[in-house]
Amino acid sequence: MPAADRQLLSDISDLIRLPSVSSFAPDRDMSNRPVIDYLAGRLEDRGFRVSVRDVPGHPGKANLIATLGRGPGGLVLSGHTDTVPYDDGQWSSDPFSATERDGRIYGLGTADMKSFFALALAASEGLTERELSSPLTLLATADEETSMAGAKALAADGGLHARCAVIGEPTDFRPVRLHKGILMERIRVEGRSGHSGDPGQGNSALEGMHSVIHALLAWRGQLQAATRNDAFPVPVTTLNLGRIAGGDNPNRICGACELDVDLRMLPGMTVAEMRSGLRNLVDSTLADARLNASYEILFDGIEPLETPADSELVRVAEELTGAESCGVVYGTEGPFLRALGMDVIILGPGSIDQAHQPDEFLRLDGLHDGVATLQKLIQRFCAAS
Ligand SMILES: [Zn+2]
């Protein structure tokens, strides 16, 4: 095995060995500093200017910005350092030890998405500032899998400039230029409980929620009929009714009922518009029912991502990979980088099908080409011509 390949595998292995789970459950949540410090050390050794920034309000969490070269324009290679938690006892091997078998490497974060950092290290190996006319930046963020606090802090800070960004989430190196926006909301309907034998004694929150569901599904139908985007595998806005809970006894009028929904909208719509559209619809549905509606934000949201098909970044990525760009149904940190003025694509090793589950793996056969693709992107957007 060539030395460069051995180095790549050993970097993947090192990164998998550094746990960096992020979780809404405080007992599972971990600091991402070990991964940040590892990358900072490696990049400093290569002459990158390294800045580690604590994420305000999130102790133990940090972002890393490491830059080689100066000037306008340039390319950001970006990834999140955190992983989701793992299912104890359901892995065939230790999730924190990269294990090679059958042409694959297994471990937590192999696909989503620590290996991308190893590929980025390989692609920038040996580069010197003199060769670059525009800066190359490696960006590593915190808490993408939970609050996106890292990306939010970066967007709020500013101070990160580039023309283009590649986020190395697992796409099997197919360029992704679109994703949907996401929000999650809890709707709570409150009425008044009472004896079931006399409906006039109370006011059923459950019957109110029945009207709300009816209205939500009709709204979903209108949204789906109005707008379609065939770049997505699911070409319409979706609205999922994920959880419902209400009432206690059959002989009592239901006093309160909750419904949790997940809304994924096509580019062209914003989180704020959709959230207020949803709340207005529920309020107006219940207006005459003497029921009270209130809302809890379960996930404040990610905006949709859309980088124009004719942007240079998309065209170059399509040319280098030989694959047509497409859309996906999961969210990324892309909209935050786009808000900083960059064209953004999602392009990285591994498949999203293996993410977030036991025995997560990365196939080894595409890695060589992946490093070459990143090298060509660096040449194109950073190298002096
Ligand atoms: Zn990811």
Side-chain angles (χ1 to χ4, degrees):
M1 189 191 286
D5 290 359
R6 269 203 309 276
Q7 183 63 50
L8 177 64
L9 292 182
S10 111
D11 286 347
I12 293 176
S13 215
D14 287 348
L15 288 161
I16 300 305
R17 209 174 294 128
L18 301 171
S20 55
V21 169
S22 74
S23 171
F24 288 114
D27 59 328
R28 299 192 131 196
D29 193 54
M30 298 174 183
S31 169
N32 71 330
R33 277 307 288 261
V35 177
I36 292 285
D37 293 343
Y38 175 89
L39 293 172
R42 292 292 304 275
L43 291 161
E44 228 155 25
D45 288 347
R46 293 176 177 197
F48 280 68
R49 299 187 301 284
V50 170
S51 157
V52 174
R53 300 186 186 175
D54 290 334
V55 179
H58 295 263
K61 309 284 185 158
N63 295 321
L64 166 77
I65 301 174
T67 306
L68 189 71
R70 291 167 203 275
L75 176 70
V76 173
L77 299 178
S78 177
H80 60 82
T81 54
D82 58 322
T83 71
V84 292
Y86 62 99
D87 298 297
D88 222 353
Q90 291 189 36
W91 280 71
S92 315
S93 53
D94 180 359
F96 296 110
S97 164
T99 309
E100 231 181 291
R101 56 179 190 272
D102 310 325
R104 298 166 168 181
I105 187 156
Y106 289 84
L108 182 64
T110 47
D112 189 10
M113 56 171 289
K114 289 178 167 176
S115 301
F116 177 72
F117 292 120
L119 267 72
L121 285 171
S124 57
E125 168 78 52
L127 272 182
T128 60
E129 191 151 329
R130 262 183 303 116
E131 297 164 73
L132 304 180
S133 57
S134 298
L136 169 66
T137 298
L138 251 84
L139 174 62
T141 64
D143 281 9
E144 189 270 350
E145 299 286 5
T146 51
S147 59
M148 298 234 172
K152 284 178 187 168
L154 278 171
D157 275 6
L160 174 63
H161 302 285
R163 181 162 150 220
C164 304
V166 171
I167 300 179
E169 294 276 5
T171 70
D172 276 326
F173 271 101
R174 179 173 183 184
V176 167
R177 68 179 182 86
L178 304 125
H179 66 62
K180 290 183 179 176
I182 305 173
L183 70 89
M184 298 178 202
E185 192 91 337
R186 174 165 295 161
I187 301 162
R188 184 174 166 85
V189 176
E190 264 172 284
R192 196 155 49 83
S193 54
H195 196 286
S196 62
D198 180 358
Q201 291 267 315
N203 195 3
S204 171
L206 217 158
E207 291 186 20
M209 192 61 91
H210 172 254
S211 307
V212 167
I213 290 176
H214 192 77
L216 287 174
L217 296 185
W219 184 48
R220 179 176 75 183
Q222 288 160 14
L223 290 168
Q224 294 183 343
T227 318
R228 197 186 151 86
N229 186 332
D230 287 307
F232 286 97
V234 179
V236 290
T237 292
T238 57
L239 185 142
N240 181 56
L241 310 177
R243 171 189 166 269
I244 190 164
D248 43 39
N249 249 29
N251 60 358
R252 264 165 50 84
I253 294 167
C254 170
C257 186
E258 283 178 355
L259 173 68
D260 295 353
V261 301
D262 165 300
L263 186 60
R264 299 188 177 224
M265 65 291 229
L266 291 173
M269 310 174 193
T270 67
V271 169
E273 274 165 20
M274 297 309 279
R275 176 163 275 129
S276 70
L278 177 106
R279 291 180 174 191
N280 290 339
L281 178 71
V282 174
D283 287 343
S284 66
T285 302
L286 298 177
D288 298 327
R290 291 180 297 117
L291 292 163
N292 181 47
S294 58
Y295 305 92
E296 185 185 333
I297 292 174
L298 298 176
F299 177 59
D300 58 357
I302 311 175
E303 299 294 344
L305 175 73
E306 180 166 26
T307 300
D310 62 358
S311 74
E312 189 184 358
L313 178 62
V314 171
R315 283 189 288 107
V316 168
E318 287 183 335
E319 180 193 309
L320 292 178
T321 59
E324 197 187 334
S325 62
C326 62
V328 292
V329 297
Y330 55 88
T332 71
E333 298 174 322
F336 297 98
L337 298 183
R338 202 144 168 75
L340 292 171
M342 297 171 217
D343 274 353
V344 178
I345 56 166
I346 321 299
L347 181 75
S351 162
I352 197 73
D353 298 346
Q354 270 83 55
H356 298 203
Q357 57 181 300
D359 290 342
E360 176 182 346
F361 68 83
L362 179 75
R363 281 176 41 201
L364 294 172
D365 56 2
L367 297 187
H368 222 89
D369 290 350
V371 172
T373 299
L374 295 182
Q375 280 168 335
K376 287 176 191 153
L377 283 166
I378 295 168
Q379 282 298 315
R380 193 70 171 246
F381 290 100
C382 304
S385 48

